């Protein structure tokens, strides 16, 4: 059985020292090993941005695509081979700006993949512009007088879009994060995990200390029930979205592939490509 | 007796014009006639003039006819818009309901038949289409029993009473018109057909069928005219084979989802038209850079922007060859008949896997939506070739990545799919080394770029140019691509009859351009006329760029949204001599 070391490769990440993404990478590797995956059975698909590089830093099949499109690529992979474990990943710009359309639709579609967003509230790779997660008033190179736009609330958004698994974590909480990723992978449907992953170079507001001060762990909220969507929404609103832990899970709704009529039990990638002559003749007959 | 007939039915969109044409043509197809139907429609659901022009012939035709024998009109607009197409002895059959008026400047005969009234008398005005079919039968002296089978198939689900009523409506139209005609033979009679059963389908049907025959089991697509029929057909069929179609949130998701599925080993594809292709360009570049097979269908329509969304055009050529930023190897193919659309779509999947690059299959609205009789498709001609897709892999030492982008003589590297043991590698749109790891080194850049382009240097493609070249030395070479083939073929016969020696070349592989194949025909012709449905002469420019002989090349362009008619090409060529 593979250990987390088997999910390491020899590539040295090009992230800045202290970047939150290192912990996310470690959490994925640990979670994969802990639930018994083998490297060749895991496909990590990522977008563009600092965090998008993550698919190259894990010893598994990895696909580093184009900006904002990790989700459709990942869904295509999963549709082709339902036996693979598929993780999509990227930053908040990738998932909530250029790729927001895909995020909402991947949530509603509910294909059985896990989406991990490394949320640093800023554009790092392009050297410090505002992100849809930047707070109002946040000063960056592209908002020198402070952002006048409202920040997106991804967790509330996910709930309204019909998500079946919504979780949030903080990159320093390696143990909790690893556990959430395990749960997300094991969830039968689309799982969204937003991870606060501080950018130590460009974001001087939302720092490690800032998060430590402002985050509330859901396990500390008395009587919190992650199967209660209404309570999840109220709690998020009360804490301005700054909570960590499993926010909501619907274990009843079936995944897209489970609901799909006629969908093969065997991975499509193993299908015999040649049609049966009799079947082809039947198709032809229908046009006569 | 006539060997061919041109019949058109017109009215307001949403009035059942399509089903009238459909019933008429299916029945005649079953009698063994060759049909060619072309719909004129607007980008709206109800209202607006629509018509369906159907050519019936005892031999294969692939073009809209120059003129019209019979016009069936459900409103005055249909008469006013279309009567000029009628030839000297043309016939108008119109619904008495709108008190039809025949324009003064036509010799056509007009019969006013109470389509709506007769249908209403039988129970519902919805059956006015059937009355019109019956009226047509009277004019053609066609036995209405030939419609029984089709009516049974269409309405059988609703019960025998509905079937009977519809047959009665056909008979009512027939009887009423027969009485008016006052003849036993009708006004024109078609030669007997050979009675052979053949397929009757649109190009999009053939594309979808080609994808199935090639083993495609997944399609991701976004609805758009004139491509939607492909996804609509496959969503009915793919579940029978364990696969599916996903209607995505947008065109980019469609392309990237298809890339993801191909990466994971499934023959997946997407189909769209110009606006969708514009949105897919970055994804097509990703397919090229990551060497992930991808088949994209582009059913061209009038552009730019929303353009003429329901009209014929062939103006995406340059965009399909050069549309992506940066430079990637790419294959662009252009079938010219429905049969070719079937075989070429199947072949597109082979090429995508063999050359590990995007393959764009161009169609155009006329080919995609024109409904025609098709000679039998031979399933055993469809090969499945997967190129350098690996199965069992040896163990790699020291946990090194598999060399997915290994530098090889032919540029094509071994391909593995996720799930395979010892095949782990990285895939990225960033320039990368042999194992897929990002690399910005100049030497690596050169070797990987060269490797990618080496792949299609010697591409094997069956019949890159369709040639009908009876003359060693020709006065004229006619060149086209996609659906213009039928109109060019008919024009060619007439030009020959004028004493001009004419050859015909239809380009089936647009990129990489088959220069060596076309060159001799261009060399041996005095003039080259490139016939294309666009304003700037894109194919002509590509020929000039690749083959040369710019001084011989004459552009013949039509971009008003309508297909070429044979007589237009004939007239244009006559003017040149």
């Amino acid at each position: 059985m593979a250990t987390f070391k088997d999910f390491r490769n020899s590539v040295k990440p090009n992230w800045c020292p202290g970047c939150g993404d290192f912990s996310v990478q470690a959490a994925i590797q640990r979670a994969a090993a802990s639930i018994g995956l083998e490297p060749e059975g895991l496909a990590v698909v990522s977008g563009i941005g600092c965090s998008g590089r993550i698919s190259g830093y894990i010893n598994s099949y990895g696909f580093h695509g184009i900006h904002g499109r990790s989700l459709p690529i990942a869904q295509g992979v999963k549709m082709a081979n339902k036996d693979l474990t598929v993780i999509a990943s990227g930053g908040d710009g990738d998932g909530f700006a250029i790729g927001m359309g895909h995020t909402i639709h991947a949530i509603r579609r509910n294909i059985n993949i896990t989406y991990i967003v490394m949320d640093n509230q800023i554009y790092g790779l392009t050297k410090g512009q505002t992100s849809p997660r930047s707070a109002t008033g946040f000063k960056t190179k592209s908002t020198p007088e402070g952002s006048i736009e409202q920040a997106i609330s991804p967790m509330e958004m996910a709930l309204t879009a019909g998500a079946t698994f919504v979780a949030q974590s903080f990159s320093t909480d390696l143990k909790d994060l690893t556990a959430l990723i395990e749960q997300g992978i094991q969830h039968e449907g689309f799982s969204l995990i937003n991870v606060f992953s501080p950018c130590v170079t460009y974001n001087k507001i939302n720092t490690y200390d800032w998060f430590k001060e402002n985050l509330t762990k859901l396990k500390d909220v008395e009587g919190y029930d992650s199967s209660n969507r209404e309570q999840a929404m109220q709690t998020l609103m009360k804490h301005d979205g700054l909570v960590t832990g499993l926010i909501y899970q619907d274990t009843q709704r079936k995944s897209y592939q489970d609901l799909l009529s006629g969908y093969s039990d065997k991975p499509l990638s193993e299908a015999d490509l040649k049609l049966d002559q009799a079947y082809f003749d039947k198709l032809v007959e229908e046009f006569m | 007796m006539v060997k061919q007939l041109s019949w058109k039915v017109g009215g307001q969109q949403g009035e059942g014009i399509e089903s009238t044409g459909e019933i008429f043509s299916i029945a005649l197809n079953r009698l063994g006639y060759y049909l060619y139907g072309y719909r004129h429609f607007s980008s709206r659901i109800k209202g607006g003039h629509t018509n369906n022009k159907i050519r019936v012939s005892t031999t294969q035709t692939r073009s809209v006819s120059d003129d019209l024998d019979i016009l069936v009109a459900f409103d005055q607009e249909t008469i006013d818009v279309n009567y000029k197409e009628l030839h000297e002895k043309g016939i108008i059959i119109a619904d008495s309901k709108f008190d039809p008026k025949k324009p003064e400047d036509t010799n056509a005969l007009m019969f006013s038949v109470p389509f709506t009234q007769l249908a209403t008398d039988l129970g519902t005005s919805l059956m006015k289409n059937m009355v019109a079919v019956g009226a047509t039968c009277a004019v053609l002296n066609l036995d209405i029993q030939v419609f029984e089978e089709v009516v049974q198939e269409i309405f059988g689900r609703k019960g025998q009473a509905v079937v009977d009523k519809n047959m009665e409506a056909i008979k009512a139209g027939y009887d009423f018109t027969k009485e008016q005609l006052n003849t036993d033979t009708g006004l024109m009679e078609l030669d007997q057909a050979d009675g052979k059963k053949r397929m009757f389908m649109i190009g999009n049907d053939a594309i979808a069928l080609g994808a199935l025959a090639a083993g495609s089991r997944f399609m991701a697509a976004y609805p758009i005219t004139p491509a939607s029929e492909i996804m609509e057909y496959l969503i009915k069929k793919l579940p029978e084979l364990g696969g599916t179609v996903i209607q995505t949130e947008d065109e980019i998701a469609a392309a990237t989802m298809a890339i993801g599925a191909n990466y994971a080993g499934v023959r997946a594809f997407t189909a769209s038209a110009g606006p969708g292709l514009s949105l897919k360009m970055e994804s097509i570049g990703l397919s090229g850079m990551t060497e992930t097979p991808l088949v994209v269908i582009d059913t061209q329509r009038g552009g730019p922007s929303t353009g003429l969304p329901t009209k014929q055009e062939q103006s995406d050529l340059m965009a399909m060859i050069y549309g992506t930023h940066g430079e990637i190897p790419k294959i662009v193919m252009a079938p010219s008949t429905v049969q070719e659309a079937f075989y070429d779509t199947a072949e597109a999947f082979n090429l995508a896997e063999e050359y590990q690059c995007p393959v764009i299959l161009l169609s155009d609205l006329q080919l995609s939506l024109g409904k025609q009789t098709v000679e039998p498709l031979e399933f055993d001609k469809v090969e499945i070739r997967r190129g350098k897709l690996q199965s069992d892999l040896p163990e790699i030492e020291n946990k090194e990545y598999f060399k997915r982008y290994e530098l090889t003589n032919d540029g094509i590297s071994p391909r593995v799919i996720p799930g395979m043991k010892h095949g782990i590698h990285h895939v990225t749109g960033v320039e990368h080394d042999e194992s897929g790891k990002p690399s910005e080194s100049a030497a690596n850049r050169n070797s990987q770029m060269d490797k990618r382009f080496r792949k299609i240097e010697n591409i094997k493609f069956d019949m890159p140019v369709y040639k009908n070249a009876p003359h060693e030395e020709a006065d004229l070479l006619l060149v086209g691509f996609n659906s213009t083939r039928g109109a060019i073929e008919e024009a060619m016969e007439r030009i020959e009859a004028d004493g001009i020696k004419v050859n015909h070349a239809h380009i089936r592989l647009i990129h990489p351009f088959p220069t060596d194949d076309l060159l001799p025909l261009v060399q041996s012709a005095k003039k080259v006329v490139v016939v294309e449905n666009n304003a700037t002469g894109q194919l002509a420019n590509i020929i000039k760029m690749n083959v040369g002989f710019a001084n011989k090349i004459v552009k013949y362009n039509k971009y008003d949204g309508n297909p070429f008619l044979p007589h237009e090409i004939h007239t244009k060529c006559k003017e040149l001599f």
Side-chain angles (χ1 to χ4, degrees):
Chain A
M1 211 175 80
T3 70
F4 77 93
K5 284 181 185 163
D6 293 313
F7 290 91
R8 284 184 184 165
N9 65 17
S10 58
V11 184
K12 190 177 165 291
N14 62 1
W15 295 322
C16 306
C19 176
D21 295 351
F22 284 103
S23 307
V24 180
Q25 177 199 344
I28 293 174
Q29 289 161 330
R30 281 163 195 256
S34 133
I35 59 173
L37 301 181
E38 294 296 328
E40 65 270 13
L42 173 65
V44 181
V45 180
S46 61
I48 299 297
C50 294
S51 53
R53 288 293 182 114
I54 198 163
S55 59
Y57 304 152
I58 293 168
N59 189 50
S60 70
Y61 279 91
F63 195 114
H64 180 220
I66 43 180
H67 197 23
R69 319 299 169 202
S70 69
L71 281 173
I73 295 172
Q75 291 169 87
V77 173
K78 185 71 180 182
M79 288 304 294
N81 187 345
K82 62 196 274 204
D83 288 354
L84 289 173
T85 297
V86 180
I87 294 175
S89 54
D92 45 315
D94 206 71
F96 304 140
I98 190 166
M100 182 54 134
H102 305 310
T103 304
I104 288 179
H105 291 281
I107 288 170
R108 350 181 342 254
R109 196 170 284 130
N110 201 33
I111 290 177
N112 189 9
I113 63 173
T114 299
Y115 184 32
I116 301 171
V117 181
M118 284 151 271
D119 179 2
N120 59 8
Q121 300 84 31
I122 193 141
Y123 279 55
L125 194 63
T126 48
K127 301 192 177 4
Q129 297 84 10
T130 186
S131 113
R133 289 283 294 129
S134 302
T136 308
F138 190 71
K139 285 188 181 177
T140 67
K141 281 183 188 160
S142 58
T143 50
E145 294 183 33
S147 170
I148 52 171
E149 294 176 17
Q150 184 67 36
I152 277 167
S153 308
M155 300 291 94
E156 285 99 313
M157 182 277 294
L159 286 177
T160 56
T164 56
F165 185 103
V166 185
Q168 191 158 256
S169 191
F170 178 32
S171 63
T172 56
D173 295 342
L174 190 56
K175 213 174 129 196
D176 288 354
L177 175 57
T178 305
L180 283 174
I181 293 174
E182 288 172 23
Q183 276 177 275
I185 291 173
Q186 285 164 335
H187 174 70
E188 292 289 331
F190 185 82
S191 46
L192 170 64
I193 304 171
N194 191 58
V195 187
F196 296 116
S197 178
C199 174
V200 292
T201 306
Y202 292 107
N203 193 335
K204 306 296 183 193
I205 306 286
N206 310 107
T207 59
Y208 284 100
D209 286 343
W210 186 90
F211 280 111
K212 272 177 201 144
E213 214 162 283
N214 288 286
L215 286 176
T216 300
K217 289 189 175 187
L218 287 173
K219 54 185 169 192
D220 298 336
V221 175
E222 212 186 308
Y224 189 78
D225 173 8
S226 61
S227 69
N228 184 334
R229 192 159 169 245
E230 188 182 340
Q231 191 188 15
M233 192 61 106
Q234 278 174 356
T235 309
L236 283 167
M237 291 173 88
K238 184 177 164 199
H239 294 274
D240 199 18
L242 292 168
V243 299
T244 57
L246 177 60
I247 295 167
Y248 178 70
Q249 183 173 18
D250 175 353
T251 53
Q252 301 302 308
R253 197 174 132 202
K254 287 184 171 169
S255 76
Y256 185 90
Q257 281 154 306
D258 283 338
L259 289 170
L260 198 56
S261 129
Y263 188 61
S264 161
D265 283 337
K266 197 169 79 172
L268 287 186
S269 56
E270 291 170 20
D272 180 8
L273 299 192
K274 199 79 185 168
L275 287 187
D276 184 46
Q277 176 77 46
Y279 182 75
F280 183 78
D281 293 343
K282 183 184 85 100
L283 296 178
V284 164
E285 188 70 27
E286 288 169 357
F287 287 103
M288 286 181 168
Chain B
M1 289 285 202
V2 291
K3 288 196 186 319
Q4 63 167 308
L5 166 86
S6 181
W7 181 86
K8 183 185 266 191
V9 55
Q12 290 293 298
Q13 216 151 270
E15 260 194 323
I17 301 306
E18 255 187 74
S19 61
T20 315
E22 188 78 0
I23 289 165
F24 179 70
S25 37
I26 292 177
L28 287 169
N29 186 67
R30 288 197 184 157
L31 292 176
Y33 291 104
Y34 288 88
L35 279 284
Y36 186 89
Y38 187 75
R39 278 167 58 218
H40 167 101
F41 64 110
S42 309
S43 189
R44 54 200 276 187
I45 299 176
K46 284 207 184 274
H49 174 67
T50 181
N51 69 58
N52 195 348
K53 188 173 182 180
I54 293 162
R55 194 171 181 185
V56 188
S57 171
T58 50
T59 52
Q60 175 106 58
T61 55
R62 292 195 187 96
S63 165
V64 179
S65 61
D66 289 313
D67 52 18
L68 193 59
D69 295 297
I70 299 173
L71 176 63
V72 176
F74 282 93
D75 60 6
Q76 186 64 40
E77 190 184 353
T78 297
I79 298 176
D80 297 342
V81 172
N82 299 290
Y83 80 94
K84 286 203 165 143
E85 275 180 49
L86 286 161
H87 62 66
E88 283 274 293
K89 291 178 180 166
I91 296 160
I92 301 169
I93 312 171
D95 192 351
S96 314
K97 185 188 169 193
F98 64 89
D99 191 16
K101 287 169 198 66
K102 191 175 84 166
E104 283 170 12
D105 58 338
T106 176
N107 295 325
L109 279 175
M110 187 168 84
F111 296 96
S112 177
V113 179
F115 297 161
T116 309
Q117 188 57 51
L118 289 173
T120 309
D121 292 348
L122 284 166
T124 165
S125 65
L126 287 175
M127 295 189 302
K128 62 186 177 184
N129 307 316
M130 296 300 169
V131 178
V133 167
T136 302
C137 288
V139 169
L140 294 176
N141 195 28
L142 201 63
D143 185 353
I144 62 168
Q145 285 315 308
V146 305
F147 290 93
E148 180 133 25
E149 193 180 75
V150 185
V151 169
Q152 186 75 44
E153 277 167 32
I154 296 174
F155 298 106
R157 278 179 302 138
K158 297 180 180 171
Q160 192 56 39
V162 178
V163 173
D164 293 345
K165 279 282 174 206
N166 276 279
M167 283 310 293
E168 276 176 50
I170 293 178
K171 186 165 186 314
Y174 181 90
D175 290 345
F176 185 94
T177 313
K178 190 93 187 167
E179 208 162 295
Q180 299 234 312
L181 294 179
N182 205 13
T183 153
D184 282 342
T185 54
L187 296 177
M188 54 182 76
E189 233 173 306
L190 268 167
D191 260 356
Q192 192 84 17
D194 64 9
K196 275 191 190 149
K197 255 185 128 182
R198 296 184 184 89
M199 298 172 86
F200 181 51
M201 68 202 305
I202 60 174
N204 281 349
D205 293 330
I207 290 169
L209 205 53
L212 283 183
S216 176
R217 294 292 176 271
F218 182 61
M219 180 190 193
Y222 187 83
I224 190 168
T225 303
S228 299
E229 292 79 9
I230 302 170
M231 68 185 290
E232 288 165 4
Y233 177 76
L234 289 176
I235 192 58
K236 285 183 271 177
K237 298 300 170 196
L238 276 172
E240 295 176 4
L241 298 161
T244 197
V245 176
I246 290 188
Q247 179 180 328
T248 52
E249 57 273 23
D250 61 32
E251 297 280 4
I252 298 173
T256 43
M257 213 180 266
I259 288 173
N262 270 292
Y263 161 67
V266 168
R267 288 189 152 188
F269 78 116
T270 184
S272 189
L277 263 291
S278 292
L279 288 164
K280 292 180 199 295
M281 280 302 163
E282 191 191 11
S283 314
I284 290 170
L286 176 71
S287 154
M289 185 57 153
T290 60
E291 306 196 39
T292 308
L294 175 67
V295 173
V296 182
I297 313 291
D298 175 21
T299 59
Q300 300 171 93
R301 67 184 210 187
S305 187
T306 306
L308 293 170
T310 62
K311 302 283 182 269
Q312 161 69 2
E313 201 164 279
Q314 302 179 308
S315 55
D316 294 352
L317 212 55
M318 287 295 188
M320 291 311 106
I321 301 173
Y322 300 111
T324 48
H325 66 273
E327 298 161 300
I328 53 161
K330 191 197 272 178
I331 296 167
V332 183
M333 52 205 290
S336 53
T337 66
V338 171
Q339 283 95 329
E340 285 184 11
F342 169 76
Y343 296 114
D344 287 1
T345 303
E347 183 65 4
F349 287 93
N350 289 332
L351 298 173
E353 287 205 293
E354 284 180 321
Y355 296 97
Q356 300 177 16
C357 73
V359 177
I360 298 176
L361 184 120
L362 270 185
S363 176
D364 57 25
L365 186 136
Q366 189 185 352
L367 175 60
S368 274
L369 299 187
K371 195 160 183 176
Q372 52 190 291
T373 302
V374 176
E375 295 289 357
L377 300 172
E378 292 168 61
F379 180 55
D380 51 14
K381 272 195 187 167
V382 175
E383 292 177 18
I384 290 175
R385 308 188 308 269
R386 307 201 69 179
K388 292 193 187 175
L389 181 63
Q390 309 294 302
S391 44
D392 287 325
L393 301 171
E395 195 162 345
I396 304 174
E397 279 179 26
N398 307 324
K399 246 175 38 176
E400 275 306 307
Y401 273 1
F402 179 81
K403 284 193 176 174
R404 169 69 183 90
Y405 303 102
E406 188 181 350
L407 299 170
T408 56
N409 287 336
D410 61 4
I412 303 167
S413 316
R415 179 170 151 246
V416 294
I417 57 174
M420 282 186 181
K421 227 173 160 53
H422 314 307
I424 286 178
H425 62 276
H426 191 49
V427 173
T428 174
V430 173
E431 187 58 273
H432 42 264
D433 65 15
E434 287 183 289
S435 62
K437 291 176 188 164
S439 165
E440 290 183 345
S441 110
N444 177 73
R445 166 68 172 179
N446 285 337
S447 56
Q448 283 294 325
M449 276 296 264
D450 293 346
K451 161 199 144 43
R452 286 192 290 269
F453 281 100
R454 209 152 57 229
K455 292 193 294 186
I456 58 165
E457 263 171 20
N458 295 306
I459 177 178
K460 288 198 190 84
F461 190 92
D462 187 35
M463 195 170 61
V465 179
Y466 161 81
K467 295 172 203 155
N468 177 14
H471 306 289
E472 262 180 50
E473 301 285 325
D475 300 313
L476 175 66
L477 172 67
L478 282 169
V479 187
F481 70 105
N482 278 149
S483 68
T484 53
R485 181 154 145 194
I488 290 177
E489 280 171 346
E490 277 183 49
M492 188 173 163
E493 282 178 31
R494 300 181 205 174
I495 299 165
E496 280 281 341
D498 290 342
I500 298 166
K501 289 184 195 156
V502 50
N503 286 337
H504 174 198
H506 226 67
I507 312 296
R508 289 171 26 79
L509 178 63
I510 304 286
H511 187 82
F513 195 79
T515 304
D516 295 344
D517 242 58
L518 186 63
L519 181 68
L521 286 181
V522 174
Q523 270 172 332
S524 62
K526 292 195 183 99
K527 276 195 170 63
V528 178
V529 173
V530 185
V531 179
E532 46 189 324
N533 279 124
N534 59 50
T536 54
Q538 298 186 24
L539 181 62
N541 289 340
I542 292 168
I543 295 171
K544 286 180 190 178
M545 195 167 81
N546 289 284
V547 185
F549 297 96
N551 56 347
K552 281 188 189 180
I553 293 173
V554 179
K555 293 177 178 178
Y556 182 33
N557 305 101
K558 184 175 181 182
Y559 43 93
D560 64 0
N562 296 306
F564 279 102
L565 299 176
H567 82 87
E568 294 171 334
I569 300 170
H570 179 207
T571 307
K572 171 77 183 178
C573 293
K574 253 199 330 203
E575 281 168 14
L576 293 172
F577 289 92

